[in-house]
Amino acid sequence: MRYQYQIGHKEYFFLADEVLSTAAEFLARIIRNQEEEYAVLRDGELLQIGWNCFRVVEKEGKYQLFALDYTKNPFEDSTPDLSLALAYFKEQSKAISNAGIQPLETTFQDTLIVETGALSEDRIYMIRDAAPENGDSGWTCTSVFFSGPSSLEDYVKAYTYQLRRFCEQAISILHFPVDTIAVFEKGRLIEVVGEDNKKLL
């Protein structure tokens, strides 16, 4: 579906599934606010909105929003279909609202530490030990039943968008605060607790 808007003398549009219309309209309100304050609708402009980043491309006097392509290399590839980006935005917003938490800014290009055992185990933990700093999200992804030695070889660094390869639903809780622990079973969110073991989801 094509979503088209006018802000002053500028027209812009983007493409996304019709079922994501609520998220699309929310994005449009953010774009309007940013355009009115910062004039962001310029060819080549990159817009960081929440976890996502969007690229502005001018075509025949109109502006189109492209999403970074998380199915490929988002540092190089983009897509005219904003559906995946808006789906993540929708799930993140829903999780934040349901948990009633103050979100910490986290982006697709922030990194996390992944225990190699988590890549093959059915049950994994997502643990936030620290607030985001210098591109580090503060998250660690670890397996519950991994029993190997704890050494540097047991851990790798990954970008948060790469969670989609082995635990996509974890992307929905990336804005949760320090001391959050989330449990996933075969990629499905089971429980989220916060400070003092308070249940969040």
Side-chain angles (χ1 to χ4, degrees):
M1 178 176 175
R2 180 182 174 116
Y3 296 86
Q4 187 160 323
Y5 304 90
Q6 178 98 25
I7 305 176
H9 66 281
K10 295 181 180 178
E11 290 185 33
Y12 81 95
F13 68 95
F14 56 83
L15 308 176
D17 288 345
E18 187 174 0
V19 295
L20 294 166
S21 59
T22 300
E25 292 300 328
F26 192 81
L27 173 63
R29 289 196 294 272
I30 294 174
I31 297 296
R32 173 173 289 279
N33 291 338
Q34 291 199 0
E35 171 61 20
E36 290 176 347
E37 188 166 357
Y38 304 111
V40 296
L41 291 176
R42 300 189 298 261
D43 187 47
E45 187 81 4
L46 281 175
L47 309 180
Q48 186 72 54
I49 299 176
W51 183 79
N52 289 295
C53 193
F54 302 94
R55 187 184 307 278
V56 180
V57 177
E58 184 178 5
K59 291 185 174 182
E60 299 177 351
K62 295 182 180 181
Y63 299 91
Q64 181 175 1
L65 294 187
F66 284 71
L68 303 188
D69 194 343
Y70 306 120
T71 68
K72 297 178 181 176
N73 180 355
F75 297 101
E76 297 180 357
D77 301 307
S78 59
T79 173
D81 185 358
L82 273 58
S83 297
L84 183 59
L86 289 181
Y88 289 147
F89 178 77
K90 176 183 176 181
E91 291 305 311
Q92 289 165 346
S93 299
K94 179 181 176 182
I96 290 168
S97 177
N98 288 345
I101 52 99
Q102 185 66 34
L104 290 179
E105 183 175 342
T106 306
T107 74
F108 79 95
Q109 60 188 343
D110 287 341
T111 59
L112 74 159
I113 301 300
V114 180
E115 180 193 16
T116 53
L119 300 174
S120 57
E121 292 286 354
D122 287 340
R123 175 166 289 199
I124 63 173
Y125 287 140
M126 284 283 291
I127 304 169
R128 187 161 223 167
D129 298 312
E133 185 177 12
N134 298 325
D136 182 347
S137 71
W139 283 102
T140 298
C141 179
T142 179
S143 62
V144 177
F145 302 113
F146 183 70
S147 59
S150 181
S151 67
L152 290 177
E153 288 75 20
D154 296 328
Y155 298 89
V156 295
K157 185 176 286 190
Y159 295 109
T160 60
Y161 82 87
Q162 292 175 313
L163 283 165
R164 69 179 307 277
R165 298 179 181 176
F166 63 97
C167 189
E168 188 170 28
Q169 199 172 4
I171 293 174
S172 68
I173 53 98
L174 287 174
H175 294 288
F176 277 46
V178 176
D179 294 328
T180 293
I181 301 175
V183 184
F184 295 85
E185 182 74 36
K186 295 183 178 179
R188 185 171 65 89
L189 180 63
I190 302 298
E191 185 179 27
V192 183
V193 297
E195 189 176 10
D196 298 326
N197 210 36
K198 179 184 177 181
K199 185 176 177 64
L200 298 177
L201 291 177

